[in-house]
Amino acid sequence: MKIKIRTIVILLVLGMTTAAGLIYFGIYNVAATEQHTAPVYKLLEYAMRKSVLLRADSSRVPDLSNEQRLRSGTTHFRAHCVQCHGAPGVAPEPFSYGMMPAPANLVAAAREWEPAELFWVIRHGIKMSGMPAWEYRLSEQEIWDIVAFVERLPTLSPQEYEQWGKQVPAQASPAPARLSEADNVALGAGDAKAGERALQQYLCVTCHQIPGVAGANRHVGPPLNGIAGRRYIGGVVLNTPENMVRWLQNPKQFAPLSAMPDLGVTNKDARDIAAFLSTLEDLD
Ligand code: HEC
Ligand code: HEC
Protein backbone atom coordinates (compact mmCIF):
# COMPACT_ATOMS: atom_id res chain seq x y z
CA MET A 1 0.00 0.00 0.00
CA LYS A 2 2.75 2.39 1.00
CA ILE A 3 4.66 1.70 -2.24
CA LYS A 4 1.54 2.28 -4.32
CA ILE A 5 0.89 5.71 -2.82
CA ARG A 6 4.55 6.59 -3.26
CA THR A 7 4.40 5.61 -6.98
CA ILE A 8 1.28 7.71 -7.54
CA VAL A 9 2.84 10.73 -5.86
CA ILE A 10 6.06 10.35 -7.89
CA LEU A 11 4.07 10.04 -11.14
CA LEU A 12 1.97 13.09 -10.28
CA VAL A 13 5.03 15.19 -9.48
CA LEU A 14 6.71 14.02 -12.69
CA GLY A 15 3.63 14.89 -14.74
CA MET A 16 3.35 18.33 -13.21
CA THR A 17 7.07 19.02 -13.66
CA THR A 18 6.89 18.01 -17.34
CA ALA A 19 3.86 20.26 -17.92
CA ALA A 20 5.56 23.15 -16.11
CA GLY A 21 8.73 22.55 -18.16
CA LEU A 22 6.79 22.57 -21.44
CA ILE A 23 5.35 25.94 -20.51
CA TYR A 24 8.44 27.47 -18.86
CA PHE A 25 10.79 26.66 -21.75
CA GLY A 26 8.23 27.87 -24.31
CA ILE A 27 7.92 24.42 -25.90
CA TYR A 28 4.10 24.62 -26.00
CA ASN A 29 3.38 26.24 -29.38
CA VAL A 30 0.68 28.93 -29.29
CA ALA A 31 0.75 29.46 -33.10
CA ALA A 32 -2.71 29.54 -34.66
CA THR A 33 -1.18 27.72 -37.63
CA GLU A 34 -0.75 24.59 -35.47
CA GLN A 35 -3.92 22.57 -34.90
CA HIS A 36 -4.47 21.29 -31.34
CA THR A 37 -3.46 17.66 -30.96
CA ALA A 38 -6.45 15.31 -31.31
CA PRO A 39 -6.78 14.56 -27.55
CA VAL A 40 -6.53 18.27 -26.61
CA TYR A 41 -9.09 19.20 -29.30
CA LYS A 42 -11.49 16.49 -28.12
CA LEU A 43 -11.10 17.54 -24.51
CA LEU A 44 -11.75 21.24 -25.27
CA GLU A 45 -14.77 20.43 -27.43
CA TYR A 46 -16.15 18.10 -24.77
CA ALA A 47 -15.67 20.67 -22.01
CA MET A 48 -17.38 23.33 -24.15
CA ARG A 49 -20.40 21.12 -24.86
CA LYS A 50 -20.80 20.07 -21.22
CA SER A 51 -20.51 23.66 -20.08
CA VAL A 52 -23.22 24.84 -22.50
CA LEU A 53 -25.54 21.92 -21.66
CA LEU A 54 -25.36 22.71 -17.96
CA ARG A 55 -26.23 26.38 -18.46
CA ALA A 56 -28.72 26.55 -21.37
CA ASP A 57 -32.27 27.09 -20.11
CA SER A 58 -34.74 25.34 -22.40
CA SER A 59 -37.75 26.48 -20.37
CA ARG A 60 -37.93 29.93 -21.92
CA VAL A 61 -37.68 29.38 -25.68
CA PRO A 62 -40.07 31.79 -27.46
CA ASP A 63 -41.95 31.06 -30.70
CA LEU A 64 -39.24 31.03 -33.36
CA SER A 65 -41.43 30.51 -36.39
CA ASN A 66 -42.80 33.97 -37.06
CA GLU A 67 -41.73 35.75 -40.22
CA GLN A 68 -40.84 39.05 -38.52
CA ARG A 69 -38.34 37.30 -36.25
CA LEU A 70 -36.72 35.57 -39.20
CA ARG A 71 -36.30 38.85 -41.05
CA SER A 72 -34.68 40.55 -38.09
CA GLY A 73 -32.48 37.46 -37.55
CA THR A 74 -31.30 37.63 -41.16
CA THR A 75 -30.32 41.28 -40.78
CA HIS A 76 -28.37 40.64 -37.61
CA PHE A 77 -26.72 37.53 -39.02
CA ARG A 78 -25.48 39.55 -41.99
CA ALA A 79 -24.24 42.33 -39.76
CA HIS A 80 -22.51 40.22 -37.09
CA CYS A 81 -22.01 36.55 -37.98
CA VAL A 82 -21.44 35.82 -41.68
CA GLN A 83 -17.97 37.43 -41.49
CA CYS A 84 -16.71 34.51 -39.39
CA HIS A 85 -19.14 31.67 -40.03
CA GLY A 86 -20.12 32.15 -43.68
CA ALA A 87 -23.63 31.36 -44.98
CA PRO A 88 -25.13 29.12 -47.69
CA GLY A 89 -22.96 29.74 -50.74
CA VAL A 90 -21.04 32.54 -49.00
CA ALA A 91 -17.45 32.23 -47.72
CA PRO A 92 -16.52 34.04 -44.52
CA GLU A 93 -14.00 36.91 -44.53
CA PRO A 94 -10.43 35.71 -45.13
CA PHE A 95 -9.31 36.68 -41.59
CA SER A 96 -11.50 33.90 -40.21
CA TYR A 97 -9.55 31.26 -42.19
CA GLY A 98 -6.63 31.98 -39.88
CA MET A 99 -8.54 31.45 -36.65
CA MET A 100 -7.80 28.48 -34.41
CA PRO A 101 -10.22 26.84 -33.79
CA ALA A 102 -11.81 27.68 -37.16
CA PRO A 103 -15.35 29.07 -36.82
CA ALA A 104 -17.82 26.25 -37.51
CA ASN A 105 -20.25 26.23 -40.41
CA LEU A 106 -23.53 26.93 -38.63
CA VAL A 107 -25.57 24.46 -40.68
CA ALA A 108 -23.87 21.78 -38.58
CA ALA A 109 -24.42 23.81 -35.40
CA ALA A 110 -28.15 24.14 -36.17
CA ARG A 111 -28.40 20.37 -36.40
CA GLU A 112 -26.38 19.67 -33.27
CA TRP A 113 -27.59 22.31 -30.84
CA GLU A 114 -31.05 22.95 -29.37
CA PRO A 115 -32.40 26.53 -29.70
CA ALA A 116 -31.76 27.26 -26.00
CA GLU A 117 -28.15 26.10 -26.41
CA LEU A 118 -27.64 28.27 -29.49
CA PHE A 119 -29.09 31.20 -27.53
CA TRP A 120 -26.65 30.60 -24.68
CA VAL A 121 -23.61 30.29 -26.98
CA ILE A 122 -24.48 33.47 -28.89
CA ARG A 123 -25.26 35.44 -25.75
CA HIS A 124 -22.21 34.41 -23.73
CA GLY A 125 -19.62 33.52 -26.39
CA ILE A 126 -16.94 30.86 -25.93
CA LYS A 127 -13.83 31.68 -23.92
CA MET A 128 -10.44 31.14 -25.64
CA SER A 129 -12.02 30.40 -29.03
CA GLY A 130 -12.70 33.74 -30.71
CA MET A 131 -16.49 33.39 -30.46
CA PRO A 132 -17.62 36.77 -29.09
CA ALA A 133 -20.31 37.28 -26.44
CA TRP A 134 -23.20 39.36 -27.77
CA GLU A 135 -24.93 40.02 -24.45
CA TYR A 136 -23.79 43.64 -24.29
CA ARG A 137 -24.31 44.28 -28.01
CA LEU A 138 -27.68 42.67 -28.80
CA SER A 139 -30.94 42.43 -26.86
CA GLU A 140 -32.36 39.04 -25.83
CA GLN A 141 -35.06 39.53 -28.44
CA GLU A 142 -32.45 40.09 -31.18
CA ILE A 143 -30.48 37.03 -30.11
CA TRP A 144 -33.64 34.88 -30.33
CA ASP A 145 -34.19 36.34 -33.81
CA ILE A 146 -30.72 35.11 -34.80
CA VAL A 147 -31.44 31.69 -33.29
CA ALA A 148 -34.57 31.51 -35.46
CA PHE A 149 -32.45 32.29 -38.50
CA VAL A 150 -29.73 29.75 -37.60
CA GLU A 151 -32.43 27.09 -37.10
CA ARG A 152 -33.52 27.71 -40.69
CA LEU A 153 -30.00 27.41 -42.12
CA PRO A 154 -30.03 23.65 -42.86
CA THR A 155 -32.96 24.09 -45.27
CA LEU A 156 -31.93 27.47 -46.67
CA SER A 157 -30.55 27.38 -50.24
CA PRO A 158 -27.84 29.81 -51.44
CA GLN A 159 -30.42 31.38 -53.75
CA GLU A 160 -32.84 31.95 -50.89
CA TYR A 161 -30.09 33.44 -48.72
CA GLU A 162 -29.19 35.85 -51.49
CA GLN A 163 -32.84 36.70 -52.09
CA TRP A 164 -33.47 37.39 -48.40
CA GLY A 165 -30.47 39.71 -48.40
CA LYS A 166 -32.03 41.80 -51.13
CA GLN A 167 -35.23 42.09 -49.14
CA VAL A 168 -33.49 43.11 -45.93
CA PRO A 169 -30.35 45.15 -46.58
CA ALA A 170 -27.35 44.57 -44.32
CA GLN A 171 -27.36 46.99 -41.45
CA ALA A 172 -24.55 48.35 -39.35
CA SER A 173 -24.77 47.74 -35.60
CA PRO A 174 -27.59 49.77 -34.15
CA ALA A 175 -26.39 52.77 -32.17
CA PRO A 176 -26.04 51.99 -28.47
CA ALA A 177 -28.98 53.01 -26.33
CA ARG A 178 -28.26 56.54 -25.19
CA LEU A 179 -31.20 57.76 -23.17
CA SER A 180 -32.30 61.31 -22.54
CA GLU A 181 -31.30 63.22 -19.39
CA ALA A 182 -34.72 62.45 -17.87
CA ASP A 183 -34.29 58.73 -18.46
CA ASN A 184 -30.82 59.01 -17.00
CA VAL A 185 -32.23 60.24 -13.72
CA ALA A 186 -34.87 57.51 -13.76
CA LEU A 187 -32.17 54.86 -14.07
CA GLY A 188 -30.92 55.88 -10.63
CA ALA A 189 -27.61 54.87 -9.12
CA GLY A 190 -25.66 52.10 -10.79
CA ASP A 191 -25.00 48.59 -9.57
CA ALA A 192 -21.31 48.12 -8.79
CA LYS A 193 -21.38 44.34 -9.22
CA ALA A 194 -23.01 44.63 -12.65
CA GLY A 195 -20.44 47.32 -13.49
CA GLU A 196 -17.50 45.07 -12.66
CA ARG A 197 -18.95 42.50 -15.10
CA ALA A 198 -19.81 45.07 -17.78
CA LEU A 199 -16.36 46.62 -17.91
CA GLN A 200 -14.93 43.30 -19.05
CA GLN A 201 -17.05 43.73 -22.19
CA TYR A 202 -15.84 47.21 -23.21
CA LEU A 203 -12.09 46.71 -23.62
CA CYS A 204 -11.36 48.74 -20.44
CA VAL A 205 -9.03 45.92 -19.37
CA THR A 206 -6.88 46.35 -22.47
CA CYS A 207 -5.81 49.88 -21.48
CA HIS A 208 -6.11 50.19 -17.71
CA GLN A 209 -4.85 48.58 -14.57
CA ILE A 210 -8.00 47.77 -12.56
CA PRO A 211 -7.68 46.22 -9.10
CA GLY A 212 -9.36 42.84 -8.71
CA VAL A 213 -9.88 42.32 -12.47
CA ALA A 214 -7.68 39.58 -13.94
CA GLY A 215 -5.71 40.64 -17.00
CA ALA A 216 -6.32 44.32 -16.33
CA ASN A 217 -2.68 45.32 -15.90
CA ARG A 218 -2.11 47.46 -18.98
CA HIS A 219 -0.84 51.01 -18.85
CA VAL A 220 -2.14 52.60 -22.05
CA GLY A 221 -4.24 54.80 -19.77
CA PRO A 222 -3.77 55.70 -16.08
CA PRO A 223 -4.29 52.94 -13.48
CA LEU A 224 -7.80 53.08 -12.03
CA ASN A 225 -6.91 52.15 -8.46
CA GLY A 226 -7.81 55.02 -6.17
CA ILE A 227 -9.96 56.64 -8.88
CA ALA A 228 -12.75 57.14 -6.31
CA GLY A 229 -10.55 59.52 -4.34
CA ARG A 230 -9.23 61.52 -7.30
CA ARG A 231 -10.46 65.11 -7.55
CA TYR A 232 -10.52 65.25 -11.34
CA ILE A 233 -11.28 62.74 -14.08
CA GLY A 234 -8.60 62.75 -16.76
CA GLY A 235 -7.20 65.83 -15.02
CA VAL A 236 -9.89 67.98 -16.63
CA VAL A 237 -13.32 67.55 -15.09
CA LEU A 238 -14.53 67.30 -11.48
CA ASN A 239 -14.95 63.70 -10.34
CA THR A 240 -18.72 63.55 -9.69
CA PRO A 241 -20.88 60.46 -10.40
CA GLU A 242 -22.65 62.28 -13.25
CA ASN A 243 -19.39 63.40 -14.86
CA MET A 244 -17.98 59.89 -14.59
CA VAL A 245 -20.96 58.50 -16.50
CA ARG A 246 -20.44 61.17 -19.16
CA TRP A 247 -16.69 60.52 -19.31
CA LEU A 248 -17.22 56.80 -19.81
CA GLN A 249 -19.64 57.42 -22.66
CA ASN A 250 -17.67 60.11 -24.43
CA PRO A 251 -14.29 61.17 -23.00
CA LYS A 252 -13.64 63.54 -25.91
CA GLN A 253 -16.36 65.96 -24.77
CA PHE A 254 -14.05 66.81 -21.84
CA ALA A 255 -10.64 66.02 -23.33
CA PRO A 256 -10.75 66.43 -27.11
CA LEU A 257 -7.26 64.98 -27.50
CA SER A 258 -7.87 62.00 -25.24
CA ALA A 259 -6.60 58.65 -26.48
CA MET A 260 -9.54 57.01 -24.72
CA PRO A 261 -12.14 56.27 -27.41
CA ASP A 262 -15.94 56.47 -27.24
CA LEU A 263 -16.62 52.76 -26.78
CA GLY A 264 -20.39 52.95 -27.24
CA VAL A 265 -21.03 52.31 -23.53
CA THR A 266 -24.80 52.29 -22.96
CA ASN A 267 -26.42 54.44 -20.29
CA LYS A 268 -27.07 51.57 -17.94
CA ASP A 269 -23.62 50.08 -18.32
CA ALA A 270 -21.95 53.49 -17.83
CA ARG A 271 -23.90 53.93 -14.57
CA ASP A 272 -22.98 50.49 -13.37
CA ILE A 273 -19.30 50.91 -14.29
CA ALA A 274 -19.23 54.34 -12.58
CA ALA A 275 -20.70 52.71 -9.46
CA PHE A 276 -17.94 50.09 -9.55
CA LEU A 277 -15.23 52.71 -10.06
CA SER A 278 -16.55 54.61 -7.02
CA THR A 279 -15.61 51.60 -4.89
CA LEU A 280 -11.95 51.80 -5.96
CA GLU A 281 -10.66 53.82 -3.05
CA ASP A 282 -7.37 52.10 -2.28
CA LEU A 283 -4.27 53.27 -4.06
CA ASP A 284 -2.71 49.80 -4.21
C1 HEC B 1 -14.82 36.80 -34.80
C2 HEC B 1 -15.40 35.64 -35.39
C3 HEC B 1 -16.78 35.21 -34.97
C4 HEC B 1 -17.94 35.95 -35.03
C5 HEC B 1 -18.12 37.39 -35.48
C6 HEC B 1 -18.98 35.05 -34.61
N1 HEC B 1 -18.47 33.83 -34.28
FE1 HEC B 1 -19.50 32.19 -33.65
N2 HEC B 1 -17.76 31.19 -33.32
C7 HEC B 1 -16.51 31.65 -33.65
C8 HEC B 1 -15.52 30.67 -33.25
C9 HEC B 1 -14.04 30.78 -33.43
C10 HEC B 1 -16.24 29.61 -32.64
C11 HEC B 1 -15.64 28.38 -31.95
C12 HEC B 1 -15.27 27.34 -32.88
C13 HEC B 1 -16.44 26.60 -33.30
O1 HEC B 1 -17.07 27.03 -34.28
O2 HEC B 1 -16.81 25.63 -32.64
C14 HEC B 1 -17.64 29.96 -32.74
C15 HEC B 1 -18.68 29.14 -32.32
C16 HEC B 1 -20.01 29.39 -32.55
C17 HEC B 1 -21.08 28.45 -32.30
C18 HEC B 1 -20.92 27.03 -31.77
C19 HEC B 1 -20.62 26.20 -32.99
C20 HEC B 1 -20.31 24.76 -32.74
O3 HEC B 1 -21.01 23.93 -33.29
O4 HEC B 1 -19.34 24.48 -32.06
C21 HEC B 1 -22.24 29.07 -32.68
C22 HEC B 1 -23.64 28.49 -32.63
C23 HEC B 1 -21.90 30.40 -33.15
N3 HEC B 1 -20.53 30.56 -33.05
C24 HEC B 1 -22.80 31.32 -33.63
C25 HEC B 1 -22.47 32.63 -33.98
C26 HEC B 1 -23.46 33.64 -34.33
C27 HEC B 1 -24.94 33.41 -34.45
C28 HEC B 1 -22.76 34.79 -34.54
C29 HEC B 1 -23.32 36.17 -34.84
C30 HEC B 1 -24.15 36.74 -33.81
C31 HEC B 1 -21.35 34.49 -34.37
N4 HEC B 1 -21.22 33.18 -34.03
C32 HEC B 1 -20.32 35.39 -34.56
C33 HEC B 1 -16.22 32.86 -34.25
C34 HEC B 1 -17.12 33.88 -34.48
C1 HEC C 1 -7.67 52.46 -25.98
C2 HEC C 1 -7.38 52.54 -24.59
C3 HEC C 1 -8.49 52.84 -23.59
C4 HEC C 1 -9.65 52.12 -23.39
C5 HEC C 1 -10.17 50.93 -24.19
C6 HEC C 1 -10.28 52.70 -22.22
N1 HEC C 1 -9.54 53.75 -21.75
FE1 HEC C 1 -9.93 54.86 -20.09
N2 HEC C 1 -8.36 56.07 -20.52
C7 HEC C 1 -7.45 55.86 -21.55
C8 HEC C 1 -6.48 56.95 -21.55
C9 HEC C 1 -5.31 57.10 -22.50
C10 HEC C 1 -6.84 57.80 -20.48
C11 HEC C 1 -6.10 59.06 -20.02
C12 HEC C 1 -6.94 60.26 -20.07
C13 HEC C 1 -6.86 61.08 -21.33
O1 HEC C 1 -6.46 60.61 -22.40
O2 HEC C 1 -7.26 62.25 -21.26
C14 HEC C 1 -8.03 57.21 -19.84
C15 HEC C 1 -8.69 57.74 -18.74
C16 HEC C 1 -9.67 57.08 -18.02
C17 HEC C 1 -10.23 57.53 -16.77
C18 HEC C 1 -9.76 58.74 -15.99
C19 HEC C 1 -8.61 58.31 -15.16
C20 HEC C 1 -7.99 59.37 -14.31
O3 HEC C 1 -7.00 59.05 -13.66
O4 HEC C 1 -8.48 60.45 -14.27
C21 HEC C 1 -11.15 56.61 -16.39
C22 HEC C 1 -11.99 56.62 -15.13
C23 HEC C 1 -11.20 55.60 -17.42
N3 HEC C 1 -10.30 55.93 -18.40
C24 HEC C 1 -12.03 54.51 -17.38
C25 HEC C 1 -12.19 53.62 -18.46
C26 HEC C 1 -13.19 52.58 -18.52
C27 HEC C 1 -14.16 52.25 -17.41
C28 HEC C 1 -13.05 51.99 -19.74
C29 HEC C 1 -13.96 50.92 -20.35
C30 HEC C 1 -15.34 51.34 -20.50
C31 HEC C 1 -11.94 52.61 -20.42
N4 HEC C 1 -11.45 53.60 -19.61
C32 HEC C 1 -11.46 52.23 -21.67
C33 HEC C 1 -7.44 54.83 -22.44
C34 HEC C 1 -8.44 53.88 -22.56
Side-chain angles (χ1 to χ4, degrees):
M1 192 62 191
K2 228 181 183 168
I3 294 182
K4 232 184 187 173
I5 292 175
R6 202 184 295 163
T7 319
I8 293 174
V9 169
I10 291 175
L11 282 177
L12 264 178
V13 170
L14 264 178
M16 276 156 68
T17 321
T18 315
L22 281 175
I23 292 167
Y24 182 79
F25 292 107
I27 295 163
Y28 179 76
N29 191 350
V30 297
T33 43
E34 300 298 316
Q35 176 61 284
H36 291 295
T37 58
V40 170
Y41 190 92
K42 282 223 174 82
L43 185 72
L44 292 177
E45 173 94 3
Y46 182 75
M48 187 260 278
R49 284 186 183 266
K50 284 290 185 189
S51 175
V52 176
L53 282 181
L54 178 71
R55 291 170 176 82
D57 176 5
S58 54
S59 65
R60 27 191 302 263
V61 182
D63 172 26
L64 297 177
S65 62
N66 87 51
E67 194 60 24
Q68 185 54 36
R69 207 182 259 296
L70 223 50
R71 270 173 193 280
S72 156
T74 309
T75 309
H76 286 294
F77 188 87
R78 285 174 178 269
H80 307 302
C81 318
V82 67
Q83 298 79 358
C84 282
H85 289 284
V90 179
E93 293 287 327
F95 70 77
S96 85
Y97 304 4
M99 293 179 71
M100 174 62 60
N105 185 294
L106 295 184
V107 169
R111 292 198 186 114
E112 286 161 25
W113 297 101
E114 294 294 326
E117 292 156 9
L118 287 171
F119 177 85
W120 193 92
V121 167
I122 299 167
R123 183 155 191 215
H124 297 283
I126 304 172
K127 209 180 264 176
M128 302 282 280
S129 82
M131 170 62 189
W134 294 91
E135 178 180 348
Y136 288 83
R137 252 60 62 185
L138 296 170
S139 68
E140 288 201 13
Q141 164 89 22
E142 288 165 332
I143 295 177
W144 281 119
D145 296 348
I146 297 175
V147 172
F149 174 81
V150 172
E151 284 283 299
R152 268 296 296 274
L153 274 176
T155 55
L156 193 67
S157 71
Q159 290 76 11
E160 276 174 307
Y161 180 73
E162 207 192 314
Q163 203 56 41
W164 285 19
K166 287 191 188 128
Q167 288 162 6
V168 272
Q171 210 180 48
S173 318
R178 296 263 162 94
L179 309 179
S180 68
E181 280 295 316
D183 291 326
N184 250 336
V185 174
L187 270 171
D191 169 351
K193 247 281 51 52
E196 187 174 4
R197 186 166 184 265
L199 65 73
Q200 318 250 7
Q201 290 285 318
Y202 283 106
L203 302 182
C204 318
V205 303
T206 63
C207 290
H208 289 287
Q209 189 185 345
I210 311 171
V213 181
N217 52 10
R218 312 291 168 137
H219 290 95
V220 181
L224 298 185
N225 32 348
I227 183 74
R230 245 166 275 171
R231 193 163 158 68
Y232 292 99
I233 306 169
V236 290
V237 58
L238 262 172
N239 189 358
T240 64
E242 276 307 314
N243 281 342
M244 182 57 89
V245 169
R246 294 203 182 99
W247 172 273
L248 294 176
Q249 294 195 308
N250 182 9
K252 287 198 168 64
Q253 68 187 300
F254 300 117
L257 299 180
S258 177
M260 173 157 154
D262 174 349
L263 295 152
V265 184
T266 62
N267 254 305
K268 176 176 186 309
D269 292 341
R271 284 195 172 252
D272 291 345
I273 295 173
F276 170 69
L277 294 178
S278 76
T279 66
L280 302 180
E281 283 164 359
D282 296 341
L283 277 170
D284 45 44

